[in-house]
Structure formats: structure tokens, C-alpha cells
Amino acid sequence: MIEPKILKGFRDSLPKAETYKQTLIDTIKNTFRLNGFSPIDTPALEYSDILLGKGGGETDKQVFRFKDNGDRDIALRFDHTVPLARFSALNYENLVFPLKCYQISKVWRGEKPQKGRFREFTQCDFDILGSDSIYSDFQVLFLIYKCFKNLNVDNFKIHISHRGLLNEYLKTKNIANDDNEILKILDKLKKIGIDKVKESLYQTGLSEMDVNSILDFISVKDINELINLIGMENEYLSLLNDVFDQIKLLNLSDYFVLDTSITRGLDYYTGIVFETFLSGVEFMGSVCSGGRYDNLSSLYINKKISGVGGSIGLDRLISALTELKKCSFDNIKSADFLITNQKWAFKLLDLLNKNNISSDIYCGNKSLGHQFAYAQQLSIPFVVFSYSEEKDKYSIKNIKKMEIYDDISFDFILGLSNDKT
Amino acid sequence: MIEPKILKGFRDSLPKAETYKQTLIDTIKNTFRLNGFSPIDTPALEYSDILLGKGGGETDKQVFRFKDNGDRDIALRFDHTVPLARFSALNYENLVFPLKCYQISKVWRGEKPQKGRFREFTQCDFDILGSDSIYSDFQVLFLIYKCFKNLNVDNFKIHISHRGLLNEYLKTKNIANDDNEILKILDKLKKIGIDKVKESLYQTGLSEMDVNSILDFISVKDINELINLIGMENEYLSLLNDVFDQIKLLNLSDYFVLDTSITRGLDYYTGIVFETFLSGVEFMGSVCSGGRYDNLSSLYINKKISGVGGSIGLDRLISALTELKKCSFDNIKSADFLITNQKWAFKLLDLLNKNNISSDIYCGNKSLGHQFAYAQQLSIPFVVFSYSEEKDKYSIKNIKKMEIYDDISFDFILGLSNDKT
């Protein structure tokens, strides 16, 4: 016998939990579709040099990389953005730009498993390629808002900044330190808190005045404060201004906030950047992040394909909703009806199917009592357990109310399926 | 610059093709759900000894297997059946049996790429675990029928046999040769044809009489012929008899056929086995295969968990439909409406979204003519290109008819979305 163990950081998903997850995915997919985004698919495995082309040292260490039987150096994708850039370069001639696309599937990272972090997880990516227009930046932000609304997650805030702002600010303040180093420290603010950020900034050798300047910058709360602080208009500010104008126009100010501490660690961002937090569990990290990455495709093609997009981390979202006690799947039913193990079962199943009503047939030899218990465990509300061909009538048990309905017509069964009792 | 190449045997899926594929998946998922099957999910990566526990030499060579950073011997799954057996053993205490579950996702095999065969492909598996009952065998067969019906694939035939029949027959004919060797030859019948099967049988050292006996066996066309040939009733025959009785009862005889040449190569089948062929492209192989595998879980648990299930090979199905010219996605629209790049665009998008109507916003700075061309390329039927706030009226272009509709109300737009012109 082989021990049925599973790899650390990997998980099985059981029927009720997976049904819940699939419901979220269906909602997200439908939102993407309603907003004009089409699905694409790329391979899970790619040549390593494609995936790691612009990766930093961190990513390299985390990737599942190996030689295949043909001695090719290959790896499992660790995100969808890099494969998308490769995809857009390889299929350039067969794509219509601006390309609005989405991909919902697994990615793999060998990072240390911890709460809400796994080695295999589902990313829901949405991107617009081939457009510099602010319409694409705003469309991406609007899409995030629509997704969370449609998921009935109400207490969310999308934090927005622009990757170029900090550099601009450091320049005006004559702070000559390494921008990227500062940027990476600020990126950790929500995880480690303001005191540790301060400490880390001092450790880079910055003066007290410079550290305070940086803290002033990241504590800015709206566009006007930011204009006051930077003391001049620039293209980044004007872009953010236009975005917040659209937000106001659509009455969405409750869901968006300027947050200059958002920088996104990854090298490839070049413009607007955003993260999404659920109120009360901000410490769990962003559940939907992204931004503009205008130079990524140029790694693979001698053409500029601007990109802006984001990704919903579905597993982290489910962890966050669980933490908020907003995720319950114990009562998800596997079907509307259970039909007991009788010869006429498949005829009734077929009739119910044709009326778009789901129905399970008990596929064992156990007693009727056992079959009722099975229905209860699977949260199936009704069991059809007897049929008189002569009368064309059924007998049904309502599992929750513990009631028996005799001499029931098929039409009555159709009605029951809409009954939430 | 890095050449944007893709691994041999792997594919990108472009928007229209992927939209088509997702539509098939949605139909299959919905059919599973209507029949009381719930989704589950298992990791893409498992310990190699788990996956290869009962694999033959062929499987071993085909698997993507490697050492991870922690020096663990791991591999990508090559099917869903073996991981499901491991899943049922590991989660035994938390599952309700009989378990009806499905899993639609990728599997990987390093086999030589050829027409309709890839190294990464999507399998739609459905299984019933923990039941010996004939209800489960028939439910699985019925589910295949429902899937292809709902996919609007009409010319299909499900070929059924029982794995034990051949052994029984060889015994009665006193043919003492290796059953498995004969079984593997017969399994190739649809690929290599009867003459080559005959030749291979002779090569095993069988006498002319024995070869003819075997050819008699595999040319049997229905249950009665089979009873005549074997000359006695046995448990395998009686099971098949009951299955064909149910098929008759449900008027499905056009879709099912007894086919004693079906054996399924894989070692783990123990009972009923089946394959599904589309008329006219039988040479492309089975698009949905499976059977009963009662001992598979015993590799991982000291309990008997009987299993019966099948798998739709989605990529091969699409190849077969393409060959039959029944698969067209060139005209799949990415949205019902395109809204041109104007300030009021997101307001209208939001209104359409709330009415469940899909709508794209043009996210570039190109001319109106260019935007009309974009709509045409994406098969979007209507473009909303102007709005008068004063009159609350829109102007729309019907792309196919090349007509302009002016002074259109929002209600008229809602009506257009149902218009198939």
C-alpha cells in the first residue's frame, strides 16, 4: 500500500468547497464577459528563459523548474502576466488590438506555505493589451469594482497610485538614494506597519528629514493633498486626476482611494498600480492587484504592446472571506432532488433535467433510511422515493421539515424546486 | 530579446477558439450538475510514487517527472483517475459515499505529439465512487448520453463491453495464451483494422482455430448473439443485459451498442468498459472512454472503494468536430455592443451590464472608422457611437447591415440585443 499523502502547500478541494469556488469563478467569468473580455489560454509549462526573462532573484528561486525528457529547460508558470506577454508577441498577427482578455487558472510557486499562501493557487487575470489610453486604465479599475459587486463582497476598497509618482517626488526633494530600494520598503507597509517601514528607511542611510518627507508622501489621502505636496502638476498626477474624475462621475468614490504607499514590488510596472483590500482583513493582503506594464512584451517582440491589467487571487479571496465569516458552503446542495434506487429513476431524472432541475439518483443498495440520510448529508432538500405508474403520482420526503407528501404530480415537483423551504 | 516560442505539443488558445471551448465546458459542467455530480479538485503535482503506483511502463515514460527544490520526486498528473483514487483514500472520512464527482482540468503527457494528440490537454472526468450497484454503471452511461445530446453532437455511439467477458470466453474455448496480450491487441482494432489484428494474433502463436474463435467473439453485434456464442449466462452477461434493458426502457437504443472488441488498455479496469465514437470520424479514436475500476483505491487505503467513471477528451472532441466541419467559432462575438471611446461610455456599459447585456468599450484613440472595423473583427453586431444627454438618445451602427440608427432610446438598445440580425 502507498501512503495517500499530498505535497506540502498543495490541497484537495472537496465537493462543497469546490462547488463554492466554482460559483465564484462563474460570477467572475460572467463579469469579464459582460465587460467585453474574452478568454484565452496558455500552457502551464513554458521554456524557463521565457518565464524568467525579467524575473528577479526571488521569482527564480520560487519557480518549479526542471529538464524534460528531451533535456529542455522548462518551468511551470508562476503567474499569468509573463506568459501573456509571450502570447501577445507570438500571436501578434492573429490578435485584434486593443486585446481584452482573461485567463482563470492555476499558477505554481515553490514559496514557503503560510496562512492564505499555497504552492498551487488560482489566479483570475484580466488584461488590456495594445492601448495607452486612459480608457483602458479605467476599464480595468471599473472591472474590479464590478467583480466584487457581483460577488456580493461589499466592503472592499481599491487603492490606487502611479508607479512614477514616488520617483518624481524623490527627485523634487533631492533624495538621491536608490528609488527601487525605497519602493520595496514602502511596498511592505500594510504587512509590517509604519514603524518598521520607518526603521527600514533609516537603515538605508536616509536622513531624518528625508525619512519624514517620504512618510509625508505615503500619508497623503487624496489628489488635492498630493498636488499640494508635490507642488506641481505632472503627467502622472493628471492621469490619476482623470481616473478620479471618472470615479466621481460614476458615483464610485466609496470604493476607490488614492494610496501613494502602493508601489507593487514587481519590476515590470510602469504606470498606474492598484491593490484591493477587504475591510477588516487588510492584514491578509491585497485580493486583487495589478497595474500598467508597458514594456513587458518588448522582451519578446520588436513592437510596443502596452498593457494594463490585474489579477484576483481567488484562494486568498476565499481565505479572506472565511476570516470575515462571509464564506459558507456547508449548506450548498448537490442537487434539488434525490431519486431513490428504483427502475423508474432515470425516466424521472430525464424529465427533471429537461426542465433544468438537478437531480441525483441514489446509486447503492442501502435502506430507504440510509438514502434519506445521504440526502441530508448532501443538503438535498427533497427525496422522491415512490411512484405509482397507474396514477402517475409520486411520494416525496421534505428532508428539512421531515414531512412526507403523497400522491404528488410531476407539476407539483416542478413547483417544489422553486420552493426554498 | 527572447524568441517567443512555445513547447512542442503545447498550444495557445486564442480568444474565439477559447470562447468556443469554454462554451463546451460550460455545457458539460451544467450536465454534470443536473445529474447530481459535484466538482472536486486535486493538485496538478503529486508524489511520483502516488501517480505511478500502478502505471505500466508506457505511462512511466510519458510522465513529466522531476525533483523539486526540496528534492522530492514529483510529477504532473497524466490523468484524473489515479489522483481521484488517492483523493478518495486521503479524504475518506470527509466524503459522502456513493460519491458523485467531476473534475474538468488539464493533464500532461510527454507522448509524441500527433494529430489530435497534445502534451497538455483538458480531460472532463466524472466518477461514482463507493458503489457496486448497476445504478452507478448505468448512471455513468446515461450521463455520457446527456452530455453529447446537450453539446448538440447527435451522431455518436457509445460502445459497451465488460472487461471480464473475454477472459471468460477464452476459458470456455480452452485458449491458454496470455489474456492481457490478446486484450491489448484487440484494443487496437479501431486504429489498425481487422487484418492487422489477425496478423498480431497469429504472431502470439495462436492456432487458426483459436484466432477464428477470437474473431467470432469480437464480431458479435448484440447481447443475444453473445449469449449464443458463450453458450451460458454469467454475471458479466447478466450485468450487460440489465444495462441494455435500461437503455431500451429509455428509448436510447440508437446511441448504445454492444462491442466486445472494446477492452481498454489500462490495467485498472475490472468491469464494464466503454468508448464513444462520432460517426464518420471513428478513426480519430474515442472521445469519451472509461469503465469500472473496483480495486484502484486499494493501492492507497485498506478499504474497498468501488469506482466507475469516464472522461471526455475535450481536445480530441474539438479535433473530431473540426474534422466533421461541425465546429465553427469564427463568428463568435466578443460582446453584444461596442461603445466608442467617449466619456459617457462607462455609464452606458453599467446600464447594459445590469440588464445582463455584454458590452465592450473601445479603449484606444483611433478614428471612428477604425472602431467600426474593430467591432467587425470581433463579430460585435452593434456600435453605439454617439449620445445626446439632452434628448437621452443614442446613435448606433448595425455592422452587418451597414445601417445607422439615430435617436435610439435605451429600451430600443435592450431590444436590439435579442435581435440576431
Side-chain angles (χ1 to χ4, degrees), chain B residues 223-236:
Chain B
I223 275 279
N224 295 327
E225 259 188 63
L226 187 62
I227 293 172
N228 285 338
L229 188 74
I230 299 199
M232 55 147 209
E233 283 268 357
N234 66 34
E235 57 167 323
Y236 311 136

Side-chain angles (χ1 to χ4, degrees), chain A residues 105-348:
Chain A
S105 48
K106 298 269 181 78
V107 303
W108 295 269
R109 289 184 201 171
E111 62 192 330
K112 211 171 155 213
Q114 47 181 290
K115 196 173 184 176
R117 287 198 181 244
F118 309 98
R119 288 185 166 160
E120 174 180 69
F121 49 100
T122 302
Q123 293 280 90
C124 312
D125 275 48
F126 46 95
D127 294 89
I128 303 177
L129 295 189
S131 166
D132 293 321
S133 154
I134 188 175
Y135 280 94
S136 51
D137 297 273
F138 188 72
Q139 170 117 58
V140 160
L141 293 170
F142 186 69
L143 187 57
I144 302 172
Y145 160 75
K146 292 301 277 184
C147 280
F148 285 95
K149 270 291 179 192
N150 290 343
L151 288 168
N152 291 318
V153 178
D154 222 18
N155 288 314
F156 64 91
K157 271 230 160 39
I158 303 165
H159 294 231
I160 311 175
S161 188
H162 190 293
R163 186 66 176 257
L165 278 176
L166 178 71
N167 304 44
E168 201 71 18
Y169 179 72
L170 295 177
K171 226 184 287 168
T172 61
K173 290 285 168 187
N174 289 314
I175 301 175
N177 291 52
D178 180 6
D179 292 0
N180 266 327
E181 200 182 349
I182 296 175
L183 195 137
K184 269 174 193 153
I185 294 169
L186 299 187
D187 193 40
K188 292 188 191 139
L189 176 63
K190 290 203 177 45
K191 259 188 229 157
I192 63 176
I194 189 76
D195 290 339
K196 287 216 168 132
V197 161
K198 215 166 154 179
E199 203 182 303
S200 302
L201 287 174
Y202 277 120
Q203 277 166 7
T204 67
L206 284 164
S207 71
E208 188 171 350
M209 201 178 81
D210 289 347
V211 169
N212 285 335
S213 291
I214 293 171
L215 296 183
D216 284 347
F217 176 77
I218 60 171
S219 60
V220 149
K221 285 287 158 273
D222 64 40
I223 275 280
N224 294 327
E225 260 188 60
L226 187 62
I227 294 171
N228 284 339
L229 187 75
I230 300 199
M232 55 149 207
E233 283 266 0
N234 67 34
E235 56 168 323
Y236 310 136
L237 268 177
S238 118
L239 179 94
L240 283 176
N241 232 338
D242 288 350
V243 165
F244 279 97
D245 277 354
Q246 268 287 352
I247 288 168
K248 233 178 278 165
L249 190 71
L250 291 163
N251 288 319
L252 303 179
S253 299
D254 286 350
Y255 299 98
F256 292 90
V257 58
L258 176 75
D259 180 351
T260 47
S261 77
I262 300 291
T263 62
R264 306 292 304 139
L266 289 166
D267 289 343
Y268 52 62
Y269 289 111
T270 55
I272 203 164
V273 282
F274 52 82
E275 298 189 347
T276 309
F277 298 92
L278 304 195
S279 304
V281 288
E282 287 84 354
F283 65 92
M284 293 190 74
S286 166
V287 291
C288 177
S289 315
R292 179 169 279 282
Y293 48 91
D294 277 347
N295 306 322
L296 190 57
S297 292
S298 66
L299 276 172
Y300 313 107
I301 191 169
N302 206 357
K303 279 195 166 70
K304 196 188 173 199
I305 308 176
S306 309
V308 58
S311 181
I312 299 175
L314 194 63
D315 300 277
R316 194 184 291 181
L317 175 61
I318 292 173
S319 296
L321 291 174
T322 305
E323 188 80 24
L324 288 168
K325 305 205 188 320
K326 278 189 177 171
C327 153
S328 75
F329 44 75
D330 287 345
N331 296 320
I332 289 180
K333 59 184 173 189
S334 67
D336 294 313
F337 291 90
L338 174 69
I339 310 170
T340 55
N341 53 359
Q342 313 209 36
K343 261 225 157 155
W344 45 268
F346 286 97
K347 274 215 155 158
L348 178 58

Side-chain angles (χ1 to χ4, degrees), chain A residues 2 12-13 22 29 34 41 44 61 69 86 91 100 106 120 131 146 299 350 359-361 363, chain B residues 2 12-13 22 29 34 41 44 61 69 86 91 100 106 120 131 146 299 350 359-361 363:
Chain A
I2 301 163
D12 285 328
S13 188
Q22 292 293 331
K29 264 189 187 170
L34 284 173
D41 187 46
K61 266 178 275 165
N69 291 340
R86 194 273 307 144
N91 302 292
K100 290 185 183 172
K106 298 269 181 78
E120 174 180 69
S131 166
K146 292 301 277 184
L299 276 172
D350 202 24
S359 170
D360 188 2
I361 291 174
C363 284
Chain B
I2 301 164
D12 284 329
S13 189
Q22 292 293 331
K29 262 189 191 172
L34 283 174
D41 188 45
K61 268 179 273 166
N69 291 341
R86 194 273 306 143
N91 301 292
K100 290 187 183 173
K106 299 269 181 75
E120 175 180 66
S131 165
K146 291 302 275 184
L299 276 172
D350 202 23
S359 172
D360 188 5
I361 290 174
C363 284

Side-chain angles (χ1 to χ4, degrees), chain A residues 1-7 10-15 18-19 22 26 29-30 33-36 38-47 49-50 53 61 63-64 66 68-69 72 74 76 86-87 89-91 94-100 106 108 119-120 128 131 133 135-136 138-139 142 146 246 249-250 298-302 334-335 341-343 346-347 349-350 353 356-365 374 377-378, chain B residues 1-7 10-15 18-19 22 26 29-30 33-36 38-47 49-50 53 61 63-64 66 68-69 72 74 76 86-87 89-91 94-100 106 108 119-120 128 131 133 135-136 138-139 142 146 246 249-250 298-302 334-335 341-343 346-347 349-350 353 356-365 374 377-378:
Chain A
M1 227 179 69
I2 301 163
E3 192 199 337
K5 62 189 174 181
I6 195 166
L7 287 159
F10 289 78
R11 294 163 300 161
D12 285 328
S13 188
L14 271 62
E18 186 62 19
T19 303
Q22 292 293 331
D26 286 345
K29 264 189 187 170
N30 194 42
R33 187 188 64 79
L34 284 173
N35 286 271
S38 296
I40 63 156
D41 187 46
T42 67
L45 289 166
E46 302 253 6
Y47 283 102
D49 63 343
I50 297 265
K61 266 178 275 165
V63 94
F64 284 99
F66 60 100
D68 73 2
N69 291 340
R72 283 169 285 256
I74 64 178
L76 282 164
R86 194 273 307 144
F87 171 95
L90 184 61
N91 302 292
N94 297 312
L95 294 169
V96 179
F97 293 99
L99 172 69
K100 290 185 183 172
K106 298 269 181 78
W108 295 269
R119 288 185 166 160
E120 174 180 69
I128 303 177
S131 166
S133 154
Y135 280 94
S136 51
F138 188 72
Q139 170 117 58
F142 186 69
K146 292 301 277 184
Q246 268 287 352
L249 190 71
L250 291 163
S298 66
L299 276 172
Y300 313 107
I301 191 169
N302 206 357
S334 67
N341 53 359
Q342 313 209 36
K343 261 225 157 155
F346 286 97
K347 274 215 155 158
L349 172 68
D350 202 24
N353 259 215
N356 206 29
I357 295 168
S358 63
S359 170
D360 188 2
I361 291 174
Y362 186 80
C363 284
N365 305 313
Y374 168 92
Q377 285 177 291
L378 295 175
Chain B
M1 226 178 69
I2 301 164
E3 193 199 336
K5 63 189 172 180
I6 195 166
L7 286 160
F10 289 78
R11 296 163 300 163
D12 284 329
S13 189
L14 271 66
E18 185 62 19
T19 302
Q22 292 293 331
D26 287 345
K29 262 189 191 172
N30 194 42
R33 187 189 63 78
L34 283 174
N35 286 270
S38 296
I40 62 153
D41 188 45
T42 67
L45 288 167
E46 301 252 7
Y47 282 103
D49 62 344
I50 298 266
K61 268 179 273 166
V63 93
F64 285 99
F66 59 100
D68 74 2
N69 291 341
R72 282 168 286 255
I74 64 176
L76 282 163
R86 194 273 306 143
F87 172 94
L90 185 60
N91 301 292
N94 298 312
L95 294 169
V96 179
F97 293 99
L99 173 70
K100 290 187 183 173
K106 299 269 181 75
W108 296 269
R119 287 186 166 159
E120 175 180 66
I128 304 177
S131 165
S133 154
Y135 280 95
S136 52
F138 188 72
Q139 171 117 59
F142 186 71
K146 291 302 275 184
Q246 268 288 349
L249 189 73
L250 291 164
S298 66
L299 276 172
Y300 314 107
I301 190 170
N302 206 358
S334 68
N341 53 1
Q342 310 206 41
K343 263 227 158 154
F346 286 97
K347 274 216 156 159
L349 172 68
D350 202 23
N353 258 216
N356 206 29
I357 296 168
S358 64
S359 172
D360 188 5
I361 290 174
Y362 186 82
C363 284
N365 307 312
Y374 167 92
Q377 287 177 288
L378 295 176

Side-chain angles (χ1 to χ4, degrees), chain B residues 278-296:
Chain B
L278 304 194
S279 303
V281 288
E282 286 84 354
F283 66 91
M284 293 188 75
S286 166
V287 292
C288 178
S289 315
R292 177 169 281 280
Y293 47 91
D294 277 347
N295 306 320
L296 191 57

Side-chain angles (χ1 to χ4, degrees), chain B residues 145-186:
Chain B
Y145 160 76
K146 291 302 275 184
C147 280
F148 284 95
K149 270 293 176 189
N150 291 343
L151 287 168
N152 290 319
V153 177
D154 221 18
N155 288 313
F156 64 91
K157 269 229 162 36
I158 304 166
H159 294 231
I160 312 175
S161 188
H162 191 292
R163 185 65 176 261
L165 278 176
L166 178 70
N167 305 46
E168 201 71 19
Y169 180 72
L170 295 177
K171 227 184 287 168
T172 61
K173 290 285 167 187
N174 288 314
I175 301 174
N177 292 54
D178 180 5
D179 293 0
N180 265 327
E181 200 182 351
I182 297 175
L183 196 139
K184 268 175 193 150
I185 293 170
L186 299 186

